[in-house]
Amino acid sequence: MKLNDNKCAYLFFFDGYVSVAPTIIGLAEVLSEKYDKVYILAKDTVYGRYVFKNKKISLIYCDDYNNAKKNLYKVKHYFHSVFRIFKDIGFPKRNDLVINVDDASFLVVSLFSILFRLKLVYLSLEIPVKSVSFLNKILFLFVSSIIIQDKTRLDALLDVYTTKFLFDKFIVNSFFIPNSSIAYPYLASSKPNLIEQFGINKSDKIICSQIGMINDSVYSYELANVFNRLDNAILIYHDRHIIDKNELYIKKLINVNSKNLYLSSLTYDFNELFLAYEPIDIGIALYRFVDKNFGLIGRASGKLSFYLMYRKPVIVNKLDGYSDLIEEYNCGVVISDIENYREWNSALDKIKNNYEEYSDNAYRCYLNEYDFKTKSKNFIEYISK
């Protein structure tokens, strides 16, 4: 076992998708300013591996320590690999920081932090949509602080973990950090950008894109259908993985709109995302209230934060704690009826005719509400005490 004398922070990220997780990447970077070493314990996903240039950050994939080739989607097998990793790098020591990401790994991480007398932080990327165990509710009392995107999502998280008997006197430090990215300088890339891949030239048509997942939870079908009735715009879908045009849902989208719907055939690494966001005119970020995790999307929408960072006016649907921010900053248009093409026509014309103002407001919204370094400052000060 190696002796580790450095002050360290450990992020237990059971879901593992670091390469498409702005909060994880940003948090590791700001933690590295206060800690000698930051370890992220992740695993392989369909999105590929991420590489940090920052030498103080070690992203370790449990797959490389999975000697028995067990299924790492099971928590117990994930932690078997974690303990093999600790045998290599040294176990955490008192005054080190432990950050547990979401509920699946919380039981083991909390017990581990209690055993080693470590400060435990709960980082919520996803709000549990099912009830959690009573044991997890008890262990939640040992959490020293919570990182979550906003007050609405905090209330929803505490509703899941709340047992009146336990929580009457429960007090915890909470820090609101949006799901956003630290701005990185553009890197040279041989890949074409989002519109170049289609040979689209900038024209009188407005280039709109909904970037990210493609499914009913983000109204992909309804959006493709309504754009089929628009003559002044182009709609591009770009996912985090290669879009399979033989997949049934994708075929359904192609059938409903063969007029102005384009499906990206590219993927971009995290540090290449400017190639997706920079060339478009308007960003679309729709969410269906399928559960509290989606319906209370608030400042948890990664695509929205990227649109704003790249100064793109946005179109969103009406959701409490989400669309009101767009109205407050006047950085886009809120759609009431997603299937009403006249409303979309009006929204596009409104943005086109006042584009510079909407663009400036989008960036102002980003700086005030989504800038990661600014929003994480209070948490970094708290753990530095």
Side-chain angles (χ1 to χ4, degrees):
M1 182 189 303
K2 295 181 180 179
L3 182 63
N4 186 352
D5 292 327
N6 294 329
K7 188 178 180 183
C8 302
Y10 300 84
L11 283 82
F12 293 83
F13 191 24
F14 174 72
D15 287 334
Y17 51 90
V18 177
S19 58
V20 292
T23 298
I24 300 295
I25 294 170
L27 189 58
E29 293 286 358
V30 296
L31 285 170
S32 72
E33 297 173 8
K34 295 294 181 181
Y35 286 85
D36 299 303
K37 196 72 177 178
V38 177
Y39 292 101
I40 305 174
L41 307 172
K43 60 188 181 184
D44 283 326
T45 69
V46 296
Y47 304 115
R49 294 191 172 190
Y50 185 77
V51 177
F52 284 93
K53 291 186 177 181
N54 187 338
K55 299 303 181 184
K56 293 178 72 175
I57 303 173
S58 289
L59 172 52
I60 304 176
Y61 285 88
C62 292
D63 306 73
D64 297 337
Y65 288 79
N66 185 17
N67 300 332
K69 303 301 179 185
K70 297 289 186 178
N71 182 356
L72 291 182
Y73 286 96
K74 292 185 177 181
V75 173
K76 64 179 181 179
H77 296 148
Y78 166 80
F79 279 102
H80 284 161
S81 294
V82 166
F83 282 103
R84 290 191 184 102
I85 291 168
F86 284 150
K87 287 181 180 179
D88 270 1
I89 67 174
F91 280 78
K93 58 193 179 304
R94 192 173 181 183
N95 296 325
D96 283 347
L97 179 70
V98 167
I99 300 178
N100 172 78
V101 184
D102 291 332
D103 183 67
S105 58
F106 179 63
L107 173 62
V108 180
V109 175
S110 57
L111 290 173
F112 179 80
S113 66
I114 293 169
L115 177 64
F116 283 86
R117 302 178 70 183
L118 305 167
K119 183 182 290 186
L120 174 63
V121 176
Y122 187 103
L123 168 57
S124 173
L125 298 184
E126 310 285 343
I127 298 172
V129 295
K130 297 179 181 178
S131 61
V132 301
S133 71
F134 185 71
L135 179 56
N136 275 22
K137 292 181 179 183
I138 294 174
L139 291 171
F140 201 73
L141 295 170
F142 292 90
V143 169
S144 67
S145 59
I146 298 170
I147 300 174
I148 198 165
Q149 296 82 18
D150 55 41
K151 179 65 164 57
T152 303
R153 289 177 71 84
L154 175 65
D155 290 343
L157 179 71
L158 293 180
D159 280 345
V160 175
Y161 277 97
T162 294
T163 298
K164 184 173 176 55
F165 171 72
L166 294 173
F167 279 79
D168 276 345
K169 297 182 180 179
F170 179 67
I171 299 174
V172 67
N173 295 290
S174 300
F175 299 92
F176 301 134
I177 304 178
N179 184 25
S180 62
S181 172
I182 295 174
Y184 293 96
Y186 292 176
L187 302 176
S189 176
S190 60
K191 293 180 183 178
N193 70 32
L194 191 59
I195 67 172
E196 286 173 341
Q197 67 175 301
F198 304 112
I200 298 173
N201 295 316
K202 287 283 188 177
S203 63
D204 291 335
K205 291 193 175 182
I206 304 168
I207 299 175
C208 305
S209 183
Q210 179 154 266
I211 295 173
M213 66 173 66
I214 303 173
N215 61 41
D216 277 338
S217 297
V218 291
Y219 292 99
S220 297
Y221 178 82
E222 290 86 349
L223 185 57
N225 188 33
V226 77
F227 262 74
N228 192 48
R229 303 190 66 180
L230 303 179
D231 296 321
N232 62 339
I234 287 169
L235 175 63
I236 301 175
Y237 283 159
H238 175 79
D239 207 343
R240 297 178 294 185
H241 52 75
I242 294 174
I243 299 171
D244 181 3
K245 294 183 179 179
N246 293 316
E247 198 268 321
L248 290 178
Y249 190 77
I250 300 300
K251 285 184 175 181
K252 184 179 175 182
L253 300 180
I254 295 171
N255 288 336
V256 80
N257 187 337
S258 58
K259 172 184 173 182
N260 58 5
L261 173 64
Y262 292 81
L263 300 173
S264 173
S265 60
L266 297 173
T267 59
Y268 297 114
D269 292 337
F270 188 85
N271 294 331
E272 297 176 323
L273 284 177
F274 67 93
L275 293 171
Y277 288 91
E278 184 64 36
I280 67 173
D281 296 318
I282 296 174
I284 300 173
L286 309 178
Y287 292 92
R288 194 187 300 272
F289 203 129
V290 294
D291 54 41
K292 286 187 176 181
N293 191 49
F294 264 77
L296 302 178
I297 194 67
R299 286 166 177 76
S301 171
K303 71 183 76 172
L304 179 62
S305 69
F306 273 96
Y307 294 144
L308 299 174
M309 183 171 72
Y310 287 103
R311 300 175 180 267
K312 303 305 171 183
V314 296
I315 298 177
V316 304
N317 58 313
K318 189 77 174 176
L319 281 174
D320 290 341
Y322 177 64
S323 52
D324 52 337
L325 190 69
I326 307 308
E327 293 172 327
E328 177 186 347
Y329 281 88
N330 193 31
C331 57
V333 177
V334 179
I335 292 286
S336 298
D337 182 359
I338 291 171
E339 299 183 81
N340 186 334
Y341 78 95
R342 291 186 179 87
E343 191 175 353
W344 280 93
N345 260 327
S346 175
L348 294 174
D349 287 342
K350 189 175 181 181
I351 292 174
K352 183 179 180 181
N353 293 334
N354 301 277
Y355 192 85
E356 187 174 345
E357 178 184 353
Y358 280 113
S359 178
D360 289 344
N361 288 342
Y363 191 59
R364 182 166 61 90
C365 181
Y366 166 76
L367 291 178
N368 290 345
E369 306 291 343
Y370 287 91
D371 181 68
F372 194 92
K373 284 203 169 183
T374 301
K375 294 299 181 181
S376 61
K377 185 177 179 181
N378 287 343
F379 173 70
I380 298 301
E381 290 176 352
Y382 162 74
I383 61 173
S384 299
K385 293 178 181 177

